[in-house]
Every structure is written in structure tokens, then in C-alpha cells.
């Protein structure tokens, strides 16, 4: 895996991955999460701080478009989010981001004429430096479903995350109370199983009154 220095400007695409559409089950069967992404474009650039674009603990600006993102010093005025974790490879096959992730930045592969001009496909798990934090439990956003999140039924077998305080147009119907390895580990109060991935891939959700 290449770890050499990258050029100042990378011809890559950035995709801000937002809320997941979740397949949920009340009976037998399995579900999966599908990322819903904002429009993409070209243009994130490096600040030259490290050998990898947006390594863990580095910071990024927040551009007017998804792709207008730069790697910037964390103490600088342009810094908007910090990298919690950084992985190479496609998001769908890679490790799950940390629970505190507010959004995921997907970086496409760059095939340059030399090793120094190339970059592998990867993704960065981002946390805003200042509120709001849509990835926090119950906030109704973010790329992950965690304990404390609420969901509503969009259509049969499909649920979406929504804020637990009832402020959005779609009020919450279920609350995720814990994540476990198998459905058998869910408590008796569970009315809905949500596939959330990671080491504990099942979310146990109880119905809200």
C-alpha cells in the first residue's frame, strides 16, 4: 500500500454520505443499509501536513459544494471537521466508522502517471468541530444508526432515522435501545430489528407510545 507523499492538489471526488436508508424487519429475514450520498464533484486539496490525504486527527474545511473540501490546519479558521478514522478501499466493504461520526467523506481513486501522483480509493469518518452533530444519538442524522437513535417507517420493511424530539415532519416511531450480535440477544420489548452493521450488527428498537 502506498504511503508516499501526494501532490498538493488531488483530482478526486468527495461525497458527503448522509443518513442511511435502513431495511428493518419485524419478522424473519435480513436487511441492509444503503448510503444516501450528496452530489459529487472534483477538487479537494491537501495542506501538505501528512503523506495521506485526510489522515486520522487531520482537519478539513467545509466547502460550498461536497467536493470543495481542503485539508487544513485544525487550529486554523477554515477548519470545520476532524477525521476520526481513515480507511482505504470502498466504504461498503470497509470497517464501520466510529459512532461519533457526523458524515463520511468518500475519496475516489486517482491513477497518476507515477506512484506519487496516485491515490487509493478510501473514506474518512468526519466529526464536526462545532455543533450541530447529526451523528449524535437521537439527532436524526449522520451516517450510522446508534443506540439512542429514533426511526420511522417509510414503507413496508424500510425505516429511516429521524430526530427523537419530534421536531421533524416525520415523528419517531421506534427507539434503538441497544445493538447486539443476534436477534435472540434483543430484550423482550423489541418490536423492530434494524440492521446496523459492525461487530454488533442488529439494532433492537422498541415502539414509542
Amino acid at each position: 500500500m502506498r504511503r508516499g507523499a501526494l501532490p498538493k492538489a488531488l483530482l478526486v471526488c468527495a461525497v458527503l454520505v448522509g443518513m442511511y436508508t435502513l431495511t428493518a424487519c419485524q419478522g424473519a429475514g435480513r436487511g441492509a443499509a444503503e448510503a444516501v450520498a450528496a452530489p459529487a464533484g472534483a477538487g479537494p486539496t491537501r495542506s501538505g501536513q501528512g503523506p495521506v490525504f485526510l489522515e486520522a486527527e487531520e482537519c478539513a474545511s467545509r466547502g460550498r459544494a461536497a467536493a470543495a473540501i481542503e485539508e487544513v490546519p485544525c487550529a486554523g479558521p477554515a477548519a470545520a471537521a476532524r477525521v476520526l478514522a481513515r480507511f482505504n478501499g470502498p466504504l461498503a466493504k470497509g470497517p464501520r466508522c466510529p459512532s461519533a461520526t457526523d458524515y463520511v467523506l468518500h475519496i475516489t481513486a486517482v491513477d497518476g502517471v507515477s506512484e506519487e501522483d496516485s491515490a487509493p480509493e478510501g473514506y474518512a469518518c468526519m466529526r464536526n468541530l462545532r455543533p450541530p452533530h447529526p451523528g449524535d444519538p437521537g439527532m436524526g442524522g449522520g451516517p450510522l444508526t446508534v443506540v439512542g437513535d429514533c426511526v420511522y417507517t417509510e414503507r413496508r420493511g424500510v425505516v429511516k432515522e429521524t430526530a427523537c424530539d419530534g421536531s421533524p415532519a416525520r415523528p419517531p416511531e421506534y427507539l434503538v435501545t441497544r445493538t447486539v450480535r443476534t436477534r435472540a440477544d434483543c430484550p423482550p420489548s423489541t418490536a423492530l430489528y434494524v440492521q446496523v452493521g459492525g461487530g454488533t450488527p442488529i439494532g433492537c428498537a422498541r415502539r414509542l407510545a
Side-chain angles (χ1 to χ4, degrees):
M1 183 179 298
R2 188 184 63 81
R3 305 290 293 181
L6 297 181
K8 281 281 186 177
L10 293 176
L11 298 177
V12 298
C13 293
V15 178
L16 300 181
V17 181
M19 289 190 298
Y20 278 109
T21 298
L22 300 169
T23 301
C25 302
Q26 290 169 297
R30 293 173 61 93
E34 179 182 5
V36 178
T45 60
R46 293 183 46 74
S47 65
Q49 291 177 278
V52 177
F53 180 63
L54 290 178
E55 286 188 291
E57 297 304 316
E58 291 183 335
C59 291
S61 66
R62 179 67 57 83
R64 293 180 180 274
I69 294 173
E70 295 180 344
E71 183 184 288
V72 296
C74 291
R82 185 185 301 272
V83 181
L84 299 181
R86 175 73 158 84
F87 303 105
N88 287 336
L91 175 63
K93 298 181 180 179
R96 191 174 191 262
C97 282
S99 297
T101 300
D102 285 327
Y103 65 95
V104 177
L105 180 65
H106 173 67
I107 303 167
T108 62
V110 176
D111 294 322
V113 295
S114 67
E115 188 176 23
E116 288 73 21
D117 294 328
S118 301
E121 178 182 5
Y123 58 98
C125 310
M126 309 297 295
R127 171 81 174 177
N128 293 329
L129 294 179
R130 294 168 290 276
H133 294 290
D136 282 355
M139 292 299 292
L144 306 172
T145 297
V146 299
V147 173
D149 280 340
C150 293
V151 298
Y152 70 92
T153 304
E154 185 189 46
R155 60 182 185 273
R156 182 177 177 84
V158 177
V159 297
K160 281 190 174 181
E161 193 177 326
T162 188
C164 290
D165 62 7
S167 57
R170 300 301 298 265
E173 297 175 355
Y174 301 91
L175 171 67
V176 179
T177 59
R178 67 178 67 176
T179 56
V180 296
R181 291 183 179 276
T182 67
R183 293 184 185 181
D185 297 323
C186 286
S189 60
T190 300
L192 190 76
Y193 303 99
V194 181
Q195 198 85 4
V196 297
T200 50
I202 304 297
C204 313
R206 65 174 176 86
R207 186 182 294 275
L208 298 173

